């Protein structure tokens, strides 16, 4: 659906050159939700802006549905852009227009026949749950409601692809989740392909099928969300994954616990019965597992759990217990360091 190949973008300003994108390649399949995560300045917005040519790439290609968009005439580009909707962190609503008008005006501008506009505006405001706010002005809406108007506006053009640039970053956690659920509904019910960028791992975890991690204009890792969550390879990816599992262990606690045993992070995939496994370990081996912290959660629709366990006992016996756990399909990572007051490895 979206094929990005060796895409580069260099900004030249008085201060010098910035290579915001360096030969980025990725493919977003039809019907999937693809997330790009990275810290501020990684090049995410530049990447997404190159997909609808709000930004002209310096090199490389972007194909949408097989059409190379970087070489289109301005007339064909307008046509191609109609397939692509976009939502932003700042909503970009017209302040002096009502909710209804915010959706209707762009439709009018793109030449949708008058008799169709009313029907479309009503349909999409209904889908985002704002049918009763038609006559309100943006200033009378909450952040979540403003983003719903922006989503209705994007959907009203009946795009095949929705691009989202940090659409939930200005929202509180509950509102974030309600907007993410709306994006999921749009994806599932209308089959709209979504490419989103974010700096929040929670967004990836909740709705993305696949994820790419960006740093310094490059993609450093990509894969299916669950795979990336369970076995992050790049240090930046590991940092993002650990931000979800924020086990509050201080360096002093780690040091003290390691005197009597090992601290192990256990990862369970597609399994929810971890406690019996630990009970079996305690019975079978001369070790005492003590759960320090844990979380069972979902990555998109799949259950995924992580437990931080202190295994008290002799090193050899602990190793045998861990071997046993690995044979049960449980991943085991030794925790020996503690950094930044949250990172464990
Ligand atoms: N219009 C521009 N002119 C000059 N530099 C820019 C411009 N837009 C972005 N950059 C630079 O490109 C890099 C990537 O920016 P951006 O794509 O906005 O990152 P992100 O969205 O991941 O925070 C940054 O170093 C930023 O300062
Ligand atoms: Mg950005």
């Amino acid at each position: 659906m979206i094929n990005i190949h060796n895409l580069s973008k260099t900004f030249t300003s008085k201060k010098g050159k910035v290579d915001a994108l360096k030969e980025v390649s990725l493919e977003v399949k039809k019907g999937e939700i693809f997330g790009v995560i990275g810290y501020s300045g990684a090049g995410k917005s530049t990447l997404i802006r190159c997909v609808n040519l709000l930004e002209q790439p310096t090199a490389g290609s972007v194909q949408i549905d097989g059409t190379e968009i970087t070489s289109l005439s301005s007339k064909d580009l307008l046509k191609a852009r109609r397939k692509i909707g976009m939502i932003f962190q700042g909503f970009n609503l017209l302040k002096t227009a009502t909710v209804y008008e915010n959706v209707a005006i762009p439709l009018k501008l793109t030449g949708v026949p008058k008799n169709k506009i009313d029907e479309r505006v009503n349909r999409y405001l209904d889908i985002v749950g704002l049918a009763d706010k038609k006559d309100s002005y943006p200033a009378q809406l909450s952040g979540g409601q403003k983003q719903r108007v922006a989503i209705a506006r994007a959907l009203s053009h009946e795009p095949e692809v929705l691009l989202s640039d940090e659409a939930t970053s200005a929202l509180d956690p509950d509102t974030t989740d309600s907007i993410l659920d709306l994006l999921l509904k749009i994806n599932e019910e209308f089959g709209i392909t979504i490419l989103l960028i974010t700096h929040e791992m929670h967004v990836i975890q909740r709705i993305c099928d696949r994820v790419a991690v960006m740093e310094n204009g490059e993609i450093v890792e990509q894969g299916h969300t669950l795979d990336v969550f369970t076995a992050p390879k790049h240090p930046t990816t590991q940092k993002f994954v650990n931000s979800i599992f924020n086990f509050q262990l201080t360096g002093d606690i780690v040091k003290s616990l390691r005197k009597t045993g090992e601290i192990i992070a256990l990862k369970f995939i597609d399994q929810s019965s971890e406690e019996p496994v630990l009970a079996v370990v305690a019975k079978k081996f001369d070790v005492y597992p003590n759960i320090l912290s844990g979380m069972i959660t979902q990555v998109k629709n799949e259950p995924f759990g992580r437990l931080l366990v202190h295994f008290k006992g002799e090193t050899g016996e602990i190793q045998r217990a861990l071997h046993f756990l690995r044979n049960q399909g449980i991943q085991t990572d030794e925790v020996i360091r503690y950094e930044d007051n949250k990172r464990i490895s």
Side-chain angles (χ1 to χ4, degrees), residues 11-13 18-21 38-47 55 165-166 197 214:
F11 290 108
T12 314
S13 66
V18 179
D19 293 320
L21 295 178
Y39 293 111
S40 176
K44 307 179 300 293
S45 292
T46 306
L47 174 66
E55 210 71 76
D165 187 344
E166 303 273 6
I197 62 173
M214 243 185 124

Side-chain angles (χ1 to χ4, degrees), residues 163-205:
L163 306 178
S164 166
D165 187 344
E166 303 273 6
T168 57
S169 298
L171 307 174
D172 62 62
D174 283 349
T175 312
T176 290
D177 283 351
S178 76
I179 294 294
L180 293 177
D181 288 347
L182 177 60
L183 293 179
L184 202 55
K185 174 176 132 174
I186 289 163
N187 168 257
E188 285 171 354
E189 288 181 17
F190 303 103
I192 295 178
T193 307
I194 299 178
L195 171 59
L196 67 81
I197 62 173
T198 181
H199 66 278
E200 294 171 300
M201 204 56 182
H202 172 74
V203 171
I204 304 290
Q205 180 194 4

